[in-house]
């Protein structure tokens, strides 16, 4: 008997040492807790205990029926009475807790008190000890102690109690279980086997407690950080001097708008009952493309869009899109910069870069770009146009006799009159010096000749009315271009130039200027 007690003391000592090391490793989980987490965890524990108590009330009511009715003929009366006592105690304890829960559930100041922690820990300890008694009672009759292992693992998995009190609850109840097991069991090796198995179960249960508690604490602290980040984000969002909009990624609904954005889109809000995130995209197809690229790259910088503003005017925006996490979901943060003024300056510069300063029509570089694009488009779809090469007659004589100022007036007069008689879709540009090109779209050669007849008559009438000391006339040659023509832009211009010189030569021979 002395050896058996020494052996049990050795097991208990080693078990105590192992459990102390485990709790020492994880004990810091219990410390440095903030009050909000303690309150949140306590509320969860109280709620879980309430649900557990309700379930146990139902089970204990059934168990009391089993103990008093189904087991009434059991020969081992002490087993039956012990079981009745355990079940009745659990039944009463559950009723007591539910009454207690109803009294304190709305008292927030009590949630972080030491008194509540003591009561809940004691409540859990009583249930575990009842499991110890029930298991030892079962060991006497059936040799089964599974109830103890089930209870401690259930406590670990279901109840969010703190690791430190759990350690002492498990330690106290396990020591009581080991001692009780050594008393009620006569076989030495059966005792050793069950002590080892239940000790492993107790260690696993404690590890579950520590792991779950640690994870809950991490999740809570992460949520706190997320909320703080969201609050900081909202403050920065609201005070940002540029219009900012936050939309959902899946349907483009607006989640947040700062005051600058509301002011920026005030007119849109006045015109529409409901506004969604489409106002920061040119169209739905563009939004889908931007969302796809955001998922791939995370951000899109300086995307230019044009929007209609007041009085049918255009407003140009430079938009930055960022994919961010907000409220645990992916959202699109949109930063807007109004670049309408810059765009106007850019258009003005482009206009100066593409317009001939003397005549006000397109210059050679821009005109040749348009002509080149027309030829490229003709490779993909059917297209036809007439390229007309123009040369002002007798410009050198006007410069020599009347000065370059009068020569410039002649050039401007000719260009102004031609511009009046061509359509908007036609392209008229200065090729160089006294040479010009017109690209006539959607016209036949007969149409072009009729236009030139009208222009020539206008020149004659102008000379008569203005009493000019020189003739106002031009020579022109045309080349018909259509899809499938194997001729480059330069070759087409050259061919039209050749036709122009043929006309000029005929005019000189006939002493008549067209």
């Amino acid at each position: 008997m002395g050896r058996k007690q020494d052996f049990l003391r050795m097991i208990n000592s080693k078990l105590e040492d192992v459990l102390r090391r485990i709790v020492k490793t994880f004990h810091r989980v219990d410390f440095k807790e903030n009050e909000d987490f303690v309150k949140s965890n306590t509320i969860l524990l109280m709620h879980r205990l309430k649900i557990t108590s309700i379930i146990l009330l139902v089970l204990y009511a059934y168990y009391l029926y089993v103990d008093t009715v189904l087991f009434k003929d059991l020969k081992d009366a002490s087993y039956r009475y012990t079981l009745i006592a355990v079940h009745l105690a659990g039944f009463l304890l559950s009723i007591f807790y539910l009454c207690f829960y109803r009294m304190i559930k709305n008292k927030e100041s009590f949630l972080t008190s030491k008194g509540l922690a003591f009561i809940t820990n004691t409540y859990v300890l009583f249930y575990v000890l009842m499991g110890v008694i029930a298991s030892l009672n079962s060991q006497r009759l059936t040799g089964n102690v599974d109830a103890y292992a089930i209870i401690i693992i259930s406590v670990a998995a279901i109840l969010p109690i703190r690791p430190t009190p759990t350690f002492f609850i498990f330690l106290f109840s396990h020591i009581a279980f080991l001692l009780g097991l050594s008393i009620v069991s006569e076989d030495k090796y059966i005792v050793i086997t069950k002590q080892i198995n239940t000790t492993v179960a107790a260690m696993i249960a404690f590890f579950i407690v520590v792991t779950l508690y640690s994870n809950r604490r991490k999740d809570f602290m992460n949520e706190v950080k997320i909320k703080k980040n969201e609050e900081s984000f909202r403050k920065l969002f609201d005070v940002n001097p540029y219009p900012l909009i936050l939309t959902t990624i899946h349907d483009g609904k607006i989640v947040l708008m700062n005051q600058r954005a509301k002011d920026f889109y005030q007119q849109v809000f006045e015109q529409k009952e409901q506004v969604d995130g489409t106002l920061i995209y040119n169209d739905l197809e563009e939004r889908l493309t931007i969302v796809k690229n955001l998922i791939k790259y995370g951000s899109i910088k300086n995307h230019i869009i044009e929007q209609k503003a007041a009085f049918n005017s255009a407003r140009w925006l430079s938009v930055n899109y960022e994919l961010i996490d907000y409220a645990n979901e992916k959202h699109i943060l949109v930063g807007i910069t109004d670049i309408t003024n810059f765009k106007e300056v850019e258009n003005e510069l482009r206009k100066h870069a593409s317009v001939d300063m003397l005549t006000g029509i397109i210059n050679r570089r821009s005109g040749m770009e348009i002509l080149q694009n027309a030829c490229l488009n003709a490779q993909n779809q059917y297209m036809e146009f007439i390229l007309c090469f123009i040369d002002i007659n007798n410009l050198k004589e006007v410069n020599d006799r009347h000065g370059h100022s009068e020569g410039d007036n002649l050039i401007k007069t000719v260009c102004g009159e031609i511009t009046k008689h061509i359509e908007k879709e036609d392209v008229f540009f200065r090729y160089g010096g006294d040479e010009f090109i017109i690209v006539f779209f959607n016209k036949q050669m007969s149409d072009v000749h009729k236009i030139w007849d009208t222009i020539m008559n206008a020149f004659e009438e102008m000379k008569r009315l203005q009493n000019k000391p020189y003739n106002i006339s031009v020579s022109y040659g045309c080349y018909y271009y259509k899809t499938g023509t194997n001729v480059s832009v330069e070759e087409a211009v050259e061919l039209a130039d050749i036709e122009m010189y043929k006309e000029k030569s005929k005019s000189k021979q006939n002493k008549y200027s067209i």
Side-chain angles (χ1 to χ4, degrees):
M1 187 69 180
R3 290 182 179 179
K4 187 176 182 179
Q5 290 179 346
D6 291 340
F7 179 74
L8 289 174
R9 278 196 292 269
M10 180 185 70
I11 290 178
N12 290 335
S13 176
K14 288 187 176 181
L15 173 62
E16 204 172 322
D17 183 58
V18 170
L19 291 175
R20 280 201 185 99
R21 289 186 180 182
I22 292 174
V23 80
K24 187 177 180 180
T25 303
F26 295 101
H27 82 284
R28 66 173 179 269
V29 176
D30 266 9
F31 299 102
K32 299 181 181 178
E33 304 285 19
N34 68 39
E35 188 174 329
D36 291 334
F37 173 68
V38 172
K39 186 181 293 185
S40 172
N41 191 74
T42 303
I43 292 171
L44 179 61
L45 174 60
M46 299 290 289
H47 182 69
R48 292 274 181 89
L49 285 173
K50 182 191 78 169
I51 295 173
T52 303
S53 298
I54 293 171
I55 294 172
L56 289 175
L57 277 177
V58 177
L59 289 175
Y60 285 145
Y62 173 71
Y63 287 154
L64 288 172
Y65 167 75
V66 172
D67 299 339
T68 57
V69 178
L70 299 183
F71 281 179
K72 66 179 181 178
D73 297 328
L74 189 67
K75 293 181 180 180
D76 192 341
S78 62
Y79 170 82
R80 190 162 68 92
Y81 292 138
T82 302
L83 208 57
I84 291 173
V86 169
H87 292 161
L88 183 60
F91 186 84
L92 296 174
L93 194 60
S94 296
I95 292 175
F96 167 78
Y97 177 78
L98 291 174
C99 295
F100 172 74
Y101 177 81
R102 188 173 182 180
M103 290 171 53
I104 59 94
K105 65 178 181 179
N106 295 323
K107 296 180 180 179
E108 291 192 10
S109 59
F110 194 55
L111 293 176
T112 55
S113 67
K114 293 182 179 180
L116 179 60
F118 175 78
I119 292 171
T120 53
N121 292 332
T122 304
Y123 181 60
V124 174
L125 176 61
F126 281 160
Y127 265 116
V128 176
L129 288 176
M130 283 190 293
V132 169
I133 295 169
S135 293
L136 293 176
N137 191 42
S138 179
Q139 168 65 28
R140 270 192 325 104
L141 183 68
T142 64
N144 190 318
V145 293
D146 293 343
Y148 171 69
I150 292 171
I151 287 174
I152 58 174
I153 291 177
S154 298
V155 167
I158 296 172
L159 302 179
I161 49 180
R162 298 174 67 181
T164 298
T166 306
F167 168 75
F168 290 107
I169 290 170
F170 284 2
L171 180 63
F172 180 79
S173 59
H174 194 65
I175 291 173
F177 176 77
L178 293 178
L179 292 173
L181 188 62
S182 64
I183 294 171
V184 300
S185 181
E186 297 179 356
D187 191 303
K188 170 184 174 182
Y189 297 104
I190 291 177
V191 170
I192 294 173
T193 302
K194 291 183 177 180
Q195 285 178 334
I196 292 172
N197 292 339
T198 53
T199 299
V200 171
M203 294 173 66
I204 291 172
F206 182 72
F207 180 76
I208 292 172
V209 169
V210 173
T211 303
L212 294 179
Y213 188 85
S214 178
N215 289 339
R216 279 194 304 274
R217 182 177 181 275
K218 287 178 181 177
D219 291 342
F220 182 87
M221 298 310 294
N222 286 335
E223 288 181 6
V224 170
K225 287 180 181 178
I226 289 171
K227 287 180 180 179
K228 288 183 178 179
N229 290 336
E230 286 180 3
E231 289 175 2
S232 300
F233 171 80
R234 287 289 295 270
K235 289 178 181 178
L236 292 173
F237 187 88
D238 291 334
V239 302
N240 195 287
Y242 294 97
L244 292 179
I245 298 175
L246 188 70
T247 70
T248 55
I249 191 171
H250 57 281
D251 58 8
K253 295 281 183 65
I254 295 177
V255 177
L256 294 174
M257 291 184 75
N258 66 357
Q259 190 59 46
R260 291 300 298 272
K262 292 176 183 177
D263 295 340
F264 190 73
Y265 285 108
Q266 183 177 3
Q267 184 184 6
V268 178
F269 293 146
E270 292 173 353
Q271 295 175 353
K272 297 182 179 180
E273 293 182 2
Q274 186 175 3
V275 179
D276 56 23
T278 55
L279 55 80
I280 49 177
Y281 308 97
N282 285 318
D283 49 50
L284 179 60
E285 184 178 352
E286 182 185 59
R287 193 189 90 81
L288 295 175
T289 302
I290 286 175
V291 169
K292 184 178 179 180
N293 289 331
L294 277 174
I295 293 173
K296 186 176 182 180
Y297 301 109
S299 65
I300 297 174
K301 304 292 185 183
N302 301 321
H303 180 72
I304 307 299
I305 64 174
E306 181 184 10
Q307 291 183 338
K308 294 295 181 182
F311 307 109
N312 294 322
S313 60
R315 179 166 64 183
W316 290 90
L317 309 178
S318 175
V319 185
N320 293 331
Y321 304 91
E322 292 284 343
L323 190 64
I324 67 168
D325 290 317
Y326 180 80
N328 295 323
E329 291 183 8
K330 293 292 183 183
H331 288 75
I332 300 175
L333 177 63
V334 183
I336 302 167
T337 304
D338 190 342
I339 59 169
T340 304
N341 293 335
F342 296 103
K343 202 71 177 177
E344 289 174 354
V345 172
E346 180 185 353
N347 291 336
E348 193 67 26
L349 292 173
R350 185 181 289 112
K351 179 180 178 182
H352 285 297
S354 62
V355 173
D356 178 67
M357 298 303 295
L358 176 64
T359 62
I361 64 173
I362 301 173
N363 61 22
R364 174 171 178 163
R365 181 182 63 81
S366 298
M368 291 300 288
E369 284 182 2
I370 296 172
L371 189 56
Q372 186 72 46
N373 289 333
C375 292
L376 290 174
N377 291 334
Q379 297 177 7
N380 301 320
Q381 58 184 359
Y382 184 80
M383 180 178 288
E384 58 181 4
F385 57 83
I386 296 172
L387 192 154
C388 188
F389 196 95
I390 306 163
D391 182 83
I392 298 177
N393 294 327
N394 304 318
L395 178 62
K396 185 176 183 307
E397 293 181 12
V398 173
N399 284 330
D400 292 341
R401 291 182 181 183
H402 305 286
H404 285 278
S405 177
E406 188 61 32
D408 290 343
N409 287 331
L410 174 58
I411 293 173
K412 289 189 286 185
T413 300
V414 168
C415 290
E417 196 62 34
I418 291 175
T419 301
K420 292 178 184 178
H421 292 84
I422 62 174
E423 297 179 1
K424 289 183 178 181
E425 65 178 4
D426 301 326
V427 179
F428 180 34
F429 65 93
R430 188 175 186 180
Y431 189 70
D434 57 354
E435 297 175 332
F436 299 84
I437 288 176
I438 301 177
V439 183
F440 291 100
F441 292 99
N442 301 318
K443 293 178 179 65
Q444 300 299 317
M445 195 65 76
S446 58
D447 299 326
V448 172
H449 288 311
K450 287 180 182 179
I451 293 171
W452 275 114
D453 289 341
T454 304
I455 294 173
M456 292 302 184
N457 291 332
F459 286 159
E460 288 293 331
E461 183 67 16
M462 190 178 297
K463 178 181 180 295
R464 186 180 66 80
L465 293 175
Q466 297 180 3
N467 196 24
K468 291 287 185 182
Y470 52 82
N471 289 330
I472 302 174
S473 65
V474 300
S475 297
Y476 71 90
C478 296
Y479 177 78
Y480 177 72
Y481 185 97
K482 66 178 181 178
T483 298
T485 304
N486 190 21
V487 173
S488 67
V489 172
E490 291 76 12
E491 290 171 339
V493 171
E494 187 175 349
L495 291 170
D497 188 22
I498 292 171
E499 293 298 319
M500 184 274 296
Y501 271 108
K502 287 180 182 179
E503 292 296 323
K504 187 181 282 288
S505 297
K506 289 179 183 179
S507 297
K508 287 181 179 180
Q509 289 174 4
N510 296 329
K511 296 181 180 181
Y512 179 78
S513 295
I514 298 179

